[in-house]
Amino acid sequence: MQELFKKIINTDVKPLFSKNGYSKKNLNFYKADGNLTYKFNIQKAKVNTSSQVQFYVNCGVHSTEIAEFQSVELSGTILENISHFTCRIGEIVPSAPAHYTLTPNIDSDALSKELVSHLEEGISFLHSLTGARGIVRYYMAKTALHLSEETFRFLLQAGDTEEAKHYLEQLHAKYGVEKRWAIFEKKYAAIFAEYGL
């Protein structure tokens, strides 16, 4: 099954990414475009055997704009490998499975065709995130805590004070009753204070 996995990667997956301007390193595919780096990672499961190979597709986008709003390491350098947008492919391509499985009785051509179709949809979705604002809006729409501090800094620096306040209200409505909210509230208050609010 390992050989079949390698064949699918080399025969179908790699050409798809190459056609879309991606470079390959191991099972990682990258494409830099302005302030963004689009990323796909094929992650093999730890439970694989000689007769079964499971793998996942992880998707990500690194934004240099958002990186500027993140805490820097103690050395003072910004982490370049962090994906600010990150998910498994099923989160952005609803028809994609939680993982793909190769077994001796699998129709490998059908699986490969399905995988390529899902990857094409995933590429299309990631490429619809054309800047930091797209990533910020994605997580704001989900009322997610992920990137919330960076989102506030991004919005406040851009002068979108009302949008930042509205997002704070949404977060409070969703998480305000949780014990940990006091920690977030303190962080958010400090961020608003940085911008004189």
Side-chain angles (χ1 to χ4, degrees), residues 31-38 62 64:
K31 178 181 180 178
D33 187 7
N35 289 326
L36 300 179
T37 301
Y38 301 103
H62 171 82
T64 56

Side-chain angles (χ1 to χ4, degrees), residues 159-172:
D160 297 331
T161 307
E162 290 308 310
E163 193 169 7
K165 287 178 180 177
H166 178 68
Y167 182 46
L168 181 60
E169 289 168 7
Q170 288 178 299
L171 289 173
H172 183 265

Side-chain angles (χ1 to χ4, degrees), residues 66 84-85 129 132-156 158 160-172 174-175 188 192:
I66 293 174
H84 299 104
F85 174 88
L129 301 173
R133 188 167 290 275
I135 296 169
V136 162
R137 288 201 186 280
Y138 176 86
Y139 286 113
M140 286 175 65
K142 291 181 165 288
T143 317
L145 289 171
H146 178 67
L147 283 186
S148 57
E149 293 173 54
E150 294 84 351
T151 296
F152 284 122
R153 286 191 171 97
F154 179 86
L155 293 172
L156 294 170
D160 297 331
T161 307
E162 290 308 310
E163 193 169 7
K165 287 178 180 177
H166 178 68
Y167 182 46
L168 181 60
E169 289 168 7
Q170 288 178 299
L171 289 173
H172 183 265
K174 186 171 181 178
Y175 303 103
Y188 300 153
F192 275 77

Side-chain angles (χ1 to χ4, degrees), residues 13-173:
V13 173
K14 184 180 175 185
L16 169 69
F17 281 117
S18 293
K19 181 179 82 174
N20 285 280
Y22 283 74
S23 300
K24 179 182 182 291
K25 183 177 182 183
N26 301 321
L27 293 174
N28 301 297
F29 299 87
Y30 299 90
K31 178 181 180 178
D33 187 7
N35 289 326
L36 300 179
T37 301
Y38 301 103
K39 306 173 183 184
F40 286 85
N41 163 259
I42 311 295
Q43 176 190 352
K44 289 200 282 188
K46 293 179 181 178
V47 296
N48 289 334
T49 65
S50 59
S51 61
Q52 176 179 295
V53 172
Q54 284 185 352
F55 62 94
Y56 307 88
V57 178
N58 303 307
C59 312
V61 182
H62 171 82
S63 165
T64 56
E65 288 178 89
I66 293 174
E68 292 174 12
F69 295 110
Q70 290 184 307
S71 300
V72 295
E73 289 187 300
L74 294 177
S75 64
T77 58
I78 293 174
L79 298 174
E80 293 181 14
N81 295 329
I82 291 177
S83 289
H84 299 104
F85 174 88
T86 183
C87 70
R88 288 262 165 92
I89 197 163
E91 293 176 51
I92 57 174
V93 180
S95 60
H99 57 78
Y100 299 86
T101 305
L102 298 174
T103 58
N105 60 352
I106 192 85
D107 180 344
S108 61
D109 290 338
L111 183 137
S112 189
K113 185 177 178 183
E114 180 184 51
L115 173 61
V116 166
S117 173
H118 295 156
L119 290 172
E120 286 173 336
E121 284 186 62
I123 290 169
S124 179
F125 180 89
L126 286 196
H127 290 188
S128 74
L129 301 173
T130 57
R133 188 167 290 275
I135 296 169
V136 162
R137 288 201 186 280
Y138 176 86
Y139 286 113
M140 286 175 65
K142 291 181 165 288
T143 317
L145 289 171
H146 178 67
L147 283 186
S148 57
E149 293 173 54
E150 294 84 351
T151 296
F152 284 122
R153 286 191 171 97
F154 179 86
L155 293 172
L156 294 170
Q157 182 161 312
D160 297 331
T161 307
E162 290 308 310
E163 193 169 7
K165 287 178 180 177
H166 178 68
Y167 182 46
L168 181 60
E169 289 168 7
Q170 288 178 299
L171 289 173
H172 183 265

